[in-house]
C-alpha cells in the first residue's frame, strides 16, 4: 500500500524558513522513473504545483518560487524535505506531497495518483 | 510555462444532470492531463489520467476526453456525493500547472 504523510510546523513567522517533511511508504525513490512532488493550496484557492525531486536526485521547481524553494531526499529514510525561505502571509496554506511514476521503457506516466493528507501552515507573527 | 484555463469557475446542477467542465492548455500537452475531485479539508483525489483513463475504483459516471490543447470532463447523472471542487492539471513538462478549479453545487 502506497502512503505519504506530510509533517512540519503549523505556524511560522514572517521571514522565517519553512521545513516540511514528506514520509512515504510502499515505493522507493531509488526506483528508475520515480519522483516525489509538492503542491500547496492557500485557503479557498486553487492548487499550486511547487516542485519535485526524482530518482536521480534531480530537482525541478515552480518558476515563480525557484529562488526560495529547495527539495531534497533521504532515500534511506523514505523522506523528502521541502525548504522554503523568507515565508510571508501569502505562503499560508495546506501543503501536500504526492508521487509521479515514469516508465522509462514504455514512456507511460502515472502522476499524482496518491497524495498525503496535507499539512496546514500559517504564516503570522 | 503551460497555462491551464478551466471553465466554468462554478456550476450548479440538479441530481441526475449531466455536467461538463472544460480545460484548455496554452500549448499542446498531448494526452498528459489529470482530473481531480477535492472535497473540503481533503487532498485531491485522482479521477482521470492520460485525459481519458478512469482511475481504478472511480465510478463510471465520470469520464474525460480530449488531446492536444482542449479537454473535457463529464459527470453523467450527477449524484449528491459529487459536490466538490474539480481541477485539471497537465503533466507534460514542468511546471505541472493546475487549472483554477470548478466549484460544483447541487441545485
Amino acid at each position: 500500500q502506497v502512503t505519504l504523510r506530510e509533517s512540519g510546523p503549523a505556524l511560522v513567522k514572517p521571514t522565517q524558513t519553512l521545513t516540511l517533511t514528506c514520509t512515504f511508504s510502499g515505493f522507493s525513490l531509488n526506483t528508475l522513473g520515480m519522483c516525489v512532488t509538492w503542491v500547496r493550496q492557500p485557503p479557498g484557492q486553487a492548487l499550486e504545483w511547487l516542485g519535485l525531486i526524482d530518482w536521480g536526485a534531480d530537482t525541478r521547481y515552480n518558476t515563480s518560487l525557484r529562488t526560495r524553494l529547495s527539495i531534497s531526499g533521504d532515500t534511506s529514510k523514505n523522506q523528502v524535505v521541502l525548504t522554503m525561505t523568507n515565508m510571508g502571509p501569502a505562503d499560508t496554506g495546506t501543503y501536500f506531497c504526492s508521487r509521479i511514476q515514469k516508465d522509462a521503457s514504455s514512456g507511460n506516466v502515472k502522476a499524482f495518483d496518491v497524495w498525503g493528507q496535507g499539512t496546514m501552515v500559517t504564516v503570522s507573527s | 510555462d503551460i497555462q491551464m484555463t478551466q471553465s466554468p469557475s462554478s456550476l450548479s446542477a440538479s441530481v441526475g444532470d449531466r455536467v461538463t467542465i472544460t480545460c484548455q492548455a496554452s500549448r499542446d500537452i498531448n494526452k498528459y492531463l489529470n482530473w481531480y475531485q477535492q472535497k473540503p479539508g481533503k487532498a485531491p483525489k485522482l479521477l482521470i489520467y492520460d485525459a481519458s483513463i478512469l482511475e481504478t475504483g472511480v465510478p463510471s459516471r465520470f469520464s474525460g476526453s480530449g488531446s492536444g490543447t482542449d479537454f473535457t470532463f463529464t459527470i453523467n447523472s450527477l449524484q449528491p456525493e459529487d459536490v466538490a471542487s474539480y481541477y485539471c492539471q497537465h503533466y507534460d513538462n514542468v511546471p505541472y500547472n493546475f487549472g483554477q478549479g470548478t466549484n460544483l453545487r447541487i441545485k
Side-chain angles (χ1 to χ4, degrees), chain A residues 39 41 45-49 52 60 62-63 96 100 102 107-113 115-117, chain B residues 1 31-32 34 36 38 41-44 46 49-50 55 87 89 91 94-100:
Chain A
V39 172
Q41 185 173 39
Q45 297 186 41
L47 299 159
E48 179 181 31
W49 182 77
L52 64 81
R60 296 284 191 270
N62 180 306
T63 307
F96 300 95
I100 300 168
K102 303 179 182 180
N108 291 333
V109 178
K110 189 79 177 291
F112 302 86
D113 60 335
W115 294 62
Q117 84 277 10
Chain B
D1 296 1
K31 62 178 181 178
Y32 300 120
N34 280 348
Y36 303 94
Q38 187 182 32
K42 299 294 187 182
L46 179 65
Y49 65 96
D50 283 356
E55 175 70 330
Y87 293 91
Q89 181 201 22
Y91 47 98
V94 295
Y96 298 145
N97 287 330
F98 291 86
Q100 286 304 300

Coordinates of all heavy atoms in Angstrom, one line a residue, chain A residues 39 41 45-49 52 60 62-63 96 100 102 107-113 115-117, chain B residues 1 31-32 34 36 38 41-44 46 49-50 55 87 89 91 94-100:
Chain A
V39 N 2.8 20.1 -3.6 CA 1.7 21.0 -4.1 C 1.2 21.8 -2.9 O 1.2 21.2 -1.8 CB 0.6 20.2 -4.7 CG1 -0.7 21.1 -5.1 CG2 1.0 19.5 -6.0
Q41 N -1.9 24.8 -1.4 CA -3.2 25.4 -1.6 C -3.6 26.4 -0.6 O -3.8 26.0 0.6 CB -4.3 24.3 -1.6 CG -5.7 24.7 -2.0 CD -6.6 23.6 -2.2 OE1 -6.6 22.6 -1.4 NE2 -7.5 23.6 -3.2
Q45 N -8.4 28.7 -2.2 CA -7.9 29.0 -3.5 C -7.5 27.7 -4.3 O -7.7 26.6 -3.7 CB -6.7 29.9 -3.4 CG -7.0 31.3 -2.9 CD -5.8 32.2 -2.9 OE1 -5.1 32.3 -3.8 NE2 -5.7 33.0 -1.8
A46 N -6.9 27.9 -5.4 CA -6.6 26.7 -6.3 C -5.3 26.1 -5.8 O -4.5 26.6 -5.1 CB -6.5 27.2 -7.7
L47 N -5.1 24.9 -6.4 CA -3.8 24.1 -6.1 C -2.7 24.8 -6.9 O -2.9 25.3 -8.0 CB -4.0 22.7 -6.6 CG -5.1 21.9 -5.8 CD1 -5.6 20.7 -6.7 CD2 -4.6 21.5 -4.5
E48 N -1.5 24.7 -6.4 CA -0.3 25.3 -7.0 C 0.8 24.3 -6.9 O 1.2 23.8 -5.8 CB 0.1 26.6 -6.3 CG 1.4 27.2 -6.9 CD 1.8 28.5 -6.2 OE1 1.5 28.6 -5.0 OE2 2.4 29.4 -6.9
W49 N 1.4 23.9 -8.0 CA 2.5 22.9 -8.1 C 3.8 23.7 -7.6 O 4.0 24.8 -8.1 CB 2.7 22.4 -9.5 CG 3.8 21.4 -9.5 CD1 3.8 20.1 -9.1 CD2 5.1 21.6 -10.0 NE1 5.0 19.5 -9.4 CE2 5.8 20.4 -9.9 CE3 5.8 22.7 -10.6 CZ2 7.1 20.2 -10.3 CZ3 7.1 22.6 -11.0 CH2 7.7 21.3 -10.9
L52 N 9.6 19.2 -7.6 CA 9.7 17.7 -7.4 C 11.2 17.4 -7.3 O 12.1 18.2 -7.6 CB 9.1 17.0 -8.6 CG 9.7 17.2 -10.0 CD1 10.9 16.4 -10.3 CD2 8.7 16.9 -11.1
R60 N 13.2 20.0 -9.8 CA 12.6 21.0 -10.7 C 11.6 21.8 -9.8 O 11.0 21.3 -8.9 CB 11.7 20.3 -11.8 CG 12.5 19.5 -12.8 CD 13.3 20.4 -13.8 NE 13.8 19.6 -14.9 CZ 15.0 19.0 -14.8 NH1 15.8 19.2 -13.8 NH2 15.4 18.3 -15.9
N62 N 8.7 25.3 -9.3 CA 7.8 26.3 -9.8 C 8.6 27.5 -10.2 O 9.5 28.0 -9.5 CB 6.8 26.6 -8.7 CG 5.8 27.7 -9.2 OD1 6.1 28.7 -9.6 ND2 4.5 27.3 -9.0
T63 N 8.4 28.0 -11.4 CA 9.1 29.1 -11.9 C 9.2 30.3 -11.0 O 10.2 30.9 -10.8 CB 8.5 29.6 -13.3 OG1 8.4 28.4 -14.1 CG2 9.4 30.6 -14.0
F96 N 0.8 19.7 0.3 CA 0.7 18.3 0.1 C 1.9 17.7 -0.6 O 2.6 18.4 -1.4 CB -0.5 18.1 -0.9 CG -1.8 18.5 -0.4 CD1 -2.3 19.8 -0.8 CD2 -2.7 17.7 0.3 CE1 -3.6 20.2 -0.4 CE2 -3.9 18.1 0.7 CZ -4.4 19.4 0.3
I100 N 5.1 10.8 -8.6 CA 5.0 10.6 -10.1 C 5.8 9.4 -10.5 O 6.9 9.3 -10.0 CB 5.5 11.9 -10.8 CG1 4.7 13.2 -10.4 CG2 5.5 11.7 -12.3 CD1 5.4 14.5 -10.8
K102 N 7.3 7.4 -13.8 CA 7.6 7.5 -15.3 C 8.2 6.1 -15.7 O 9.2 5.7 -15.1 CB 8.5 8.6 -15.6 CG 8.0 10.0 -15.2 CD 9.0 11.1 -15.6 CE 8.5 12.4 -15.1 NZ 9.5 13.5 -15.4
G107 N 7.4 4.8 -21.7 CA 7.1 6.2 -21.7 C 5.9 6.6 -21.0 O 5.5 7.8 -20.9
N108 N 5.2 5.7 -20.4 CA 3.9 6.0 -19.7 C 4.2 6.7 -18.4 O 5.2 6.5 -17.8 CB 3.1 4.7 -19.4 CG 2.6 4.1 -20.7 OD1 2.3 4.8 -21.7 ND2 2.4 2.8 -20.7
V109 N 3.3 7.6 -18.1 CA 3.5 8.4 -16.8 C 2.2 8.2 -16.0 O 1.1 8.4 -16.6 CB 3.7 9.9 -17.1 CG1 3.8 10.7 -15.9 CG2 5.0 10.1 -18.0
K110 N 2.3 8.0 -14.7 CA 1.2 8.0 -13.8 C 1.6 9.0 -12.8 O 2.5 8.8 -12.0 CB 1.0 6.6 -13.2 CG -0.3 6.5 -12.4 CD -1.5 6.3 -13.2 CE -2.8 6.1 -12.5 NZ -2.8 4.9 -11.7
A111 N 0.9 10.1 -12.8 CA 1.3 11.3 -12.0 C 0.2 11.6 -10.9 O -1.0 11.6 -11.2 CB 1.5 12.5 -12.8
F112 N 0.6 11.9 -9.7 CA -0.2 12.4 -8.6 C -1.4 11.4 -8.3 O -2.5 11.8 -8.1 CB -0.8 13.7 -9.0 CG 0.3 14.8 -9.3 CD1 0.8 14.9 -10.6 CD2 0.7 15.6 -8.3 CE1 1.8 15.8 -10.8 CE2 1.7 16.6 -8.6 CZ 2.2 16.7 -9.8
D113 N -1.1 10.1 -8.3 CA -2.1 9.1 -8.1 C -2.4 8.9 -6.6 O -3.5 8.5 -6.2 CB -1.8 7.8 -8.7 CG -0.6 7.1 -8.3 OD1 0.3 7.9 -7.8 OD2 -0.4 5.9 -8.4
W115 N -1.8 10.8 -2.7 CA -1.5 12.1 -2.0 C -1.4 11.9 -0.5 O -2.1 11.0 0.0 CB -2.5 13.2 -2.3 CG -2.6 13.6 -3.7 CD1 -3.0 12.9 -4.8 CD2 -2.5 14.9 -4.2 NE1 -3.0 13.6 -5.9 CE2 -2.7 14.9 -5.6 CE3 -2.1 16.2 -3.6 CZ2 -2.6 16.1 -6.3 CZ3 -2.0 17.3 -4.3 CH2 -2.2 17.3 -5.7
G116 N -0.6 12.7 0.2 CA -0.7 12.8 1.6 C -1.9 13.5 2.0 O -2.6 14.1 1.1
Q117 N -2.2 13.6 3.3 CA -3.5 14.3 3.7 C -3.3 15.8 3.8 O -4.2 16.5 3.9 CB -3.9 13.7 5.1 CG -3.2 14.3 6.3 CD -1.8 13.7 6.6 OE1 -1.3 13.0 5.9 NE2 -1.3 14.1 7.8
Chain B
D1 N 6.1 28.4 -19.7 CA 5.2 27.6 -18.8 C 3.9 27.4 -19.6 O 3.4 28.3 -20.2 CB 5.0 28.3 -17.5 CG 6.2 28.5 -16.6 OD1 7.3 28.0 -17.1 OD2 6.1 29.0 -15.5
K31 N -1.6 14.0 -24.3 CA -2.7 13.4 -23.5 C -2.4 13.6 -22.0 O -3.2 13.1 -21.2 CB -2.8 11.9 -23.8 CG -1.6 11.1 -23.4 CD -1.7 9.6 -23.7 CE -0.4 8.9 -23.3 NZ -0.5 7.4 -23.4
Y32 N -1.4 14.3 -21.7 CA -0.9 14.4 -20.3 C -1.7 15.3 -19.4 O -1.2 16.4 -19.0 CB 0.6 14.7 -20.3 CG 1.4 13.7 -21.1 CD1 2.1 14.1 -22.2 CD2 1.4 12.4 -20.8 CE1 2.9 13.2 -23.0 CE2 2.1 11.4 -21.5 CZ 2.8 11.9 -22.6 OH 3.5 10.9 -23.3
N34 N -4.6 15.3 -16.0 CA -5.3 14.7 -14.9 C -6.5 15.5 -14.6 O -6.5 16.7 -14.7 CB -4.4 14.6 -13.7 CG -3.5 13.4 -13.7 OD1 -3.5 12.6 -14.5 ND2 -2.5 13.5 -12.7
Y36 N -9.1 15.9 -11.1 CA -9.2 15.6 -9.7 C -10.5 16.1 -9.1 O -11.1 17.1 -9.6 CB -8.1 16.3 -8.9 CG -6.7 16.0 -9.3 CD1 -6.0 16.9 -10.2 CD2 -6.0 14.9 -8.8 CE1 -4.7 16.6 -10.6 CE2 -4.7 14.7 -9.2 CZ -4.1 15.5 -10.1 OH -2.8 15.3 -10.5
Q38 N -11.9 17.3 -5.3 CA -11.4 17.7 -4.0 C -12.6 18.1 -3.1 O -13.3 19.1 -3.5 CB -10.3 18.8 -4.0 CG -9.7 19.1 -2.7 CD -8.7 20.2 -2.7 OE1 -8.8 21.1 -3.4 NE2 -7.7 20.1 -1.8
G41 N -11.3 20.2 3.1 CA -10.4 19.6 4.1 C -9.7 18.3 3.7 O -9.0 17.7 4.5
K42 N -9.9 17.9 2.4 CA -9.3 16.7 2.0 C -8.2 17.0 0.8 O -8.2 18.0 0.2 CB -10.3 15.8 1.4 CG -11.4 15.4 2.4 CD -10.8 14.5 3.6 CE -11.9 14.0 4.5 NZ -11.3 13.2 5.6
A43 N -7.4 16.0 0.6 CA -6.5 16.0 -0.5 C -7.2 15.8 -1.8 O -8.3 15.1 -1.8 CB -5.4 15.0 -0.3
P44 N -6.7 16.3 -2.9 CA -7.3 16.0 -4.2 C -7.3 14.4 -4.4 O -6.4 13.7 -4.0 CB -6.4 16.7 -5.2 CG -5.7 17.7 -4.4 CD -5.6 17.2 -3.0
L46 N -7.4 11.6 -7.5 CA -7.3 11.4 -8.9 C -8.5 10.7 -9.5 O -8.8 9.6 -9.0 CB -6.0 10.7 -9.2 CG -5.7 10.4 -10.7 CD1 -5.5 11.7 -11.5 CD2 -4.5 9.5 -10.8
Y49 N -6.8 10.0 -15.6 CA -5.4 10.3 -16.0 C -5.3 10.1 -17.5 O -6.1 9.4 -18.1 CB -4.4 9.6 -15.2 CG -4.4 8.1 -15.4 CD1 -3.6 7.4 -16.2 CD2 -5.3 7.3 -14.6 CE1 -3.6 6.0 -16.4 CE2 -5.4 5.9 -14.7 CZ -4.5 5.3 -15.6 OH -4.5 3.9 -15.7
D50 N -4.2 10.6 -18.1 CA -4.0 10.5 -19.5 C -5.2 11.0 -20.3 O -5.6 10.4 -21.3 CB -3.6 9.1 -20.0 CG -2.2 8.7 -19.7 OD1 -1.4 9.6 -19.2 OD2 -1.8 7.6 -19.9
E55 N -9.4 6.2 -13.3 CA -8.6 5.7 -12.2 C -9.4 4.5 -11.6 O -10.6 4.5 -11.5 CB -8.2 6.7 -11.2 CG -7.5 6.2 -10.0 CD -6.0 5.8 -10.2 OE1 -5.7 5.3 -11.3 OE2 -5.2 5.9 -9.3
Y87 N -10.5 19.9 -10.5 CA -9.3 20.6 -11.0 C -8.8 19.7 -12.2 O -8.7 18.5 -12.1 CB -8.2 20.7 -10.0 CG -8.5 21.7 -8.9 CD1 -9.1 21.3 -7.7 CD2 -8.2 23.0 -9.0 CE1 -9.4 22.1 -6.7 CE2 -8.5 23.9 -8.0 CZ -9.1 23.5 -6.8 OH -9.4 24.4 -5.8
Q89 N -5.1 19.3 -14.4 CA -3.6 19.6 -14.3 C -2.9 18.9 -15.4 O -3.2 17.7 -15.7 CB -3.1 19.0 -12.9 CG -1.6 19.3 -12.7 CD -1.0 18.3 -11.7 OE1 -1.6 17.3 -11.4 NE2 0.1 18.7 -11.1
Y91 N 0.7 17.3 -17.0 CA 2.0 16.8 -16.6 C 2.9 16.5 -17.8 O 3.6 15.5 -17.9 CB 1.9 15.5 -15.7 CG 0.9 14.5 -16.2 CD1 1.4 13.4 -16.9 CD2 -0.4 14.5 -15.9 CE1 0.5 12.4 -17.3 CE2 -1.3 13.6 -16.3 CZ -0.8 12.5 -17.0 OH -1.7 11.5 -17.5
V94 N 7.5 20.3 -16.8 CA 7.4 21.2 -15.6 C 7.4 22.6 -16.1 O 8.0 22.9 -17.1 CB 8.5 20.9 -14.6 CG1 8.4 19.5 -14.0 CG2 9.9 21.1 -15.2
P95 N 6.7 23.5 -15.3 CA 5.9 23.3 -14.1 C 4.5 22.6 -14.5 O 3.9 23.0 -15.4 CB 5.7 24.7 -13.6 CG 5.8 25.6 -14.7 CD 6.7 24.9 -15.7
Y96 N 4.1 21.7 -13.6 CA 2.8 21.0 -13.8 C 1.7 21.8 -13.3 O 1.1 21.5 -12.3 CB 2.9 19.6 -13.1 CG 4.0 18.7 -13.6 CD1 4.7 17.9 -12.7 CD2 4.4 18.7 -15.0 CE1 5.7 17.0 -13.2 CE2 5.3 17.8 -15.4 CZ 6.0 17.0 -14.5 OH 7.0 16.1 -15.0
N97 N 1.3 22.8 -14.1 CA 0.3 23.7 -13.6 C -1.1 23.1 -13.6 O -1.5 22.3 -14.4 CB 0.3 25.0 -14.5 CG 1.5 25.9 -14.2 OD1 2.0 25.9 -13.1 ND2 1.9 26.6 -15.2
F98 N -1.9 23.7 -12.6 CA -3.3 23.3 -12.5 C -4.2 24.4 -13.1 O -3.8 25.5 -13.3 CB -3.7 23.2 -11.0 CG -3.1 22.1 -10.2 CD1 -1.8 22.2 -9.7 CD2 -3.7 20.9 -10.0 CE1 -1.2 21.2 -8.9 CE2 -3.2 19.9 -9.3 CZ -1.9 20.0 -8.8
G99 N -5.5 23.9 -13.4 CA -6.5 24.9 -13.7 C -7.0 25.6 -12.4 O -6.6 25.2 -11.3
Q100 N -7.8 26.6 -12.6 CA -8.2 27.4 -11.4 C -9.3 26.7 -10.6 O -9.8 27.2 -9.6 CB -8.7 28.8 -11.9 CG -7.5 29.7 -12.2 CD -6.5 29.7 -11.0 OE1 -6.8 30.2 -10.0 NE2 -5.3 29.3 -11.2

